[in-house]
Amino acid sequence: PVRDAPRSLPGPEAHHRELVAEAELSMEERRRVELEAMRVAMEYERAHGREPIDVSQTEHYDIYSRDPKTGADRFIEVKGHKGPSLLAELTEDEYRVAKQLGDRYWLYIVCNIGTGRPQLIAVQDPLSRMRVLPKETVRYLLLPGDRGG
């Protein structure tokens, strides 16, 4: 199922627990989660009549998708989580591309991959619709909820 990003935000301790749980995954498990998130995202795009292309090896986003009927394109960053996390971390280059592309840039968060029932949350122009916190000098943490909160 697909849903919009929630407006309410769990407390900081919940986000911390989610980050710790994700950090404890083995490299192999992280790779499985990433691959499943990409599979779900590509399937979602095809189901909505768009033509997705995996460009993750050559661009600073994961999927370029075009609607053949309207010509509208999407530049999609995919983030996968084994559990219910709705956090997304962008590199400096990913952040720059998101800022440049505005409403043509989409963030797809695929959560609950570990349950066998993944959920895709699609956020158009996430830098305008999510709280953005500089996490380090080269990464930004995107949280569900209003920017002003």
Side-chain angles (χ1 to χ4, degrees), residues 81-92:
H81 296 290
K82 189 172 180 176
S85 179
L86 297 178
L87 302 176
E89 190 175 291
L90 299 182
T91 65
E92 191 70 32

Side-chain angles (χ1 to χ4, degrees), residues 45-46 48-52 65-73:
E45 285 301 288
R46 287 187 199 100
H48 286 84
R50 292 183 286 269
E51 299 169 337
S65 189
R66 185 176 173 281
D67 185 327
K69 293 178 186 162
T70 67
D73 52 12

Side-chain angles (χ1 to χ4, degrees), residues 16-31:
H16 178 72
R17 281 192 306 272
E18 290 173 4
L19 288 172
V20 168
E22 294 282 327
E24 291 175 351
L25 294 177
S26 69
M27 290 300 284
E28 184 179 309
E29 184 65 18
R30 278 188 205 154
R31 185 70 185 137

